[in-house]
Amino acid sequence: MRTVRIGKSRLESSRLAYGCWRLAGTWDPSEVKPENVENGIRSVLAAIDSGYTFFDLADIYCDGQSELIFGQALQQAPGMRDKIIVATKCGIRFAGYPNSGDPYRYDLSADYIIRSCEESLKRIGIDTIDLFQLHRPDILMDPEEIAEAFSKLKQDGKVREFGVSNFTPSQVNLLKKACGTPLIVNQVEISLAKLDAFHDNTLNQCLAEKITPLAWSPLAGGVLANVDLIRPDDPRSETLERLHDTLRILANEYDATPIMIALAWLIKHPSGIIPIIGTTKPSRIHECTLADQIELSREHWYLILTAAIGERLP
């Protein structure tokens, strides 16, 4: 795959990123068996073999188990640590932790940010996180407090770069004013079934300020990969089915697959969208990388957009 620079940093990433949220095969840590760990390690190694150099994690993925599995995979790939970007996120706290009765909530207090980072480092088994992101905006967040936490983590050598996830442009601006270090990514949901980022100024901000947009669920949870996953009660079911038809037609024209076309559509945007691939199937992991070889024409890009919207442009 081609490589791209992440934001204004010196970090360079493969054109697609590998998302590790499914590594444990479950969200319940008590259900993780040795075979789950083996499958997770196999998926990471398959991604490495396919050319992915950006690995997206979070402390809440199976309550830390995905980070543990990823760390074990790194141990089986000697010398790989210095060739990849390890990214993880913090800020979401589960209900009942640490005290019974505690609600599910977001926590971007300085103490929690720093503690979460240190715990992620231990689970992954590394000294420095390349990219540390705030997972969700905390309504109670104090930008100055967050800036202090970022500064300490950077000075201590525990984090190289920082970013956010699911932040609105105004929330990004609020945090940027307080932070001495730049925010180099904003990870948001972007796909042909989720077009909000094209209209709410998220991608405009990314393009103008050289913030790299990371697209989570770029295949809409598999809906764009498998027409059978479209729910009959989904009000957009007919539009999604027509979108599938369009992707299939263009896949034939480009000697590709519908998945590759859907990802190539995201990659073409000038903001530099990096789709995060979440499949654990080695064949699918490799298939997705081939999207990087497709250069859609402007006409085909708009043809796909029109199909996704379900009507002609105004």
Side-chain angles (χ1 to χ4, degrees):
M1 282 187 283
R2 290 174 294 172
T3 59
V4 291
R5 190 172 296 278
I6 306 298
K8 296 178 181 178
S9 74
R10 295 181 179 180
L11 299 179
E12 288 197 357
S13 165
S14 50
R15 201 60 193 79
L16 292 92
Y18 186 69
C20 299
W21 74 279
R22 287 193 178 103
L23 288 188
T26 175
W27 274 93
D28 185 348
S30 67
E31 296 178 354
V32 178
K33 304 294 189 297
E35 54 267 31
N36 296 92
V37 175
E38 292 175 7
N39 288 335
I41 292 173
R42 187 179 304 115
S43 298
V44 173
L45 297 179
I48 290 173
D49 288 342
S50 294
Y52 292 82
T53 62
F54 187 119
F55 292 84
D56 175 71
L57 297 140
D59 56 356
I60 65 161
Y61 294 164
C62 196
D63 200 14
Q65 292 299 305
S66 290
E67 289 182 327
L68 285 168
I69 293 171
F70 180 78
Q72 292 181 54
L74 275 187
Q75 293 175 14
Q76 296 190 23
M80 186 53 60
R81 171 64 189 100
D82 295 334
K83 301 176 182 178
I84 64 172
I85 295 172
V86 177
T88 194
K89 301 181 286 294
C90 77
I92 298 178
R93 304 193 69 171
F94 291 125
Y97 184 82
N99 304 306
S100 62
D102 286 346
Y104 177 90
R105 72 271 192 207
Y106 305 141
D107 187 347
L108 296 183
S109 61
D111 288 345
Y112 190 69
I113 290 173
I114 292 171
R115 185 165 76 252
S116 296
C117 176
E118 292 171 344
E119 291 174 351
S120 288
L121 286 169
K122 290 178 183 177
R123 284 190 292 266
I124 301 171
I126 56 178
D127 297 322
T128 305
I129 292 168
D130 297 306
L131 173 60
F132 196 50
Q133 300 164 77
L134 306 181
H135 207 155
R136 292 274 179 179
D138 174 6
I139 298 173
L140 295 176
M141 66 183 177
D142 180 340
E144 297 292 341
E145 184 179 357
I146 292 172
E148 290 177 7
F150 282 3
S151 178
K152 177 171 175 52
L153 290 172
K154 193 171 185 66
Q155 288 176 3
D156 291 347
K158 295 176 180 178
V159 175
R160 290 192 173 90
E161 303 288 349
F162 298 91
V164 294
S165 180
N166 303 299
F167 273 50
T168 66
S170 63
Q171 289 166 336
V172 171
N173 286 334
L174 181 66
L175 190 54
K176 278 182 57 185
K177 288 182 179 180
C179 288
T181 56
L183 302 175
I184 66 170
V185 303
N186 189 5
Q187 183 176 149
V188 294
E189 183 178 6
I190 318 174
S191 75
L192 282 163
K194 182 69 172 179
L195 299 169
D196 298 25
F198 291 90
H199 309 296
D200 64 9
N201 282 325
T202 295
L203 294 181
N204 289 341
Q205 180 185 56
C206 287
L207 187 57
E209 301 184 17
K210 296 191 184 316
I211 296 172
T212 296
L214 305 176
W216 62 267
S217 198
L219 296 174
V223 168
L224 299 179
N226 185 352
V227 69
D228 294 333
L229 294 179
I230 300 174
R231 300 192 313 274
D233 60 344
D234 188 329
R236 296 196 62 215
S237 60
E238 291 186 6
T239 298
L240 290 172
E241 288 173 1
R242 287 196 294 270
L243 174 59
H244 267 273
D245 291 339
T246 300
L247 293 175
R248 280 195 295 269
I249 291 171
L250 290 177
N252 288 332
E253 184 162 344
Y254 283 86
D255 191 23
T257 65
I259 289 174
M260 292 157 57
I261 298 298
L263 294 173
W265 186 85
L266 291 175
I267 290 173
K268 187 175 178 64
H269 193 270
S271 63
I273 297 171
I274 295 180
I276 301 174
I277 307 305
T279 181
T280 57
K281 298 178 180 178
S283 60
R284 184 62 57 80
I285 290 171
H286 177 69
E287 175 188 350
C288 291
T289 68
L290 301 179
D292 183 46
Q293 301 177 12
I294 298 172
E295 183 59 43
L296 292 173
S297 69
R298 180 178 289 264
E299 290 70 28
H300 285 158
W301 195 92
Y302 272 101
L303 184 66
I304 295 169
L305 175 63
T306 302
I309 295 172
E311 58 187 23
R312 62 158 295 204
L313 294 177

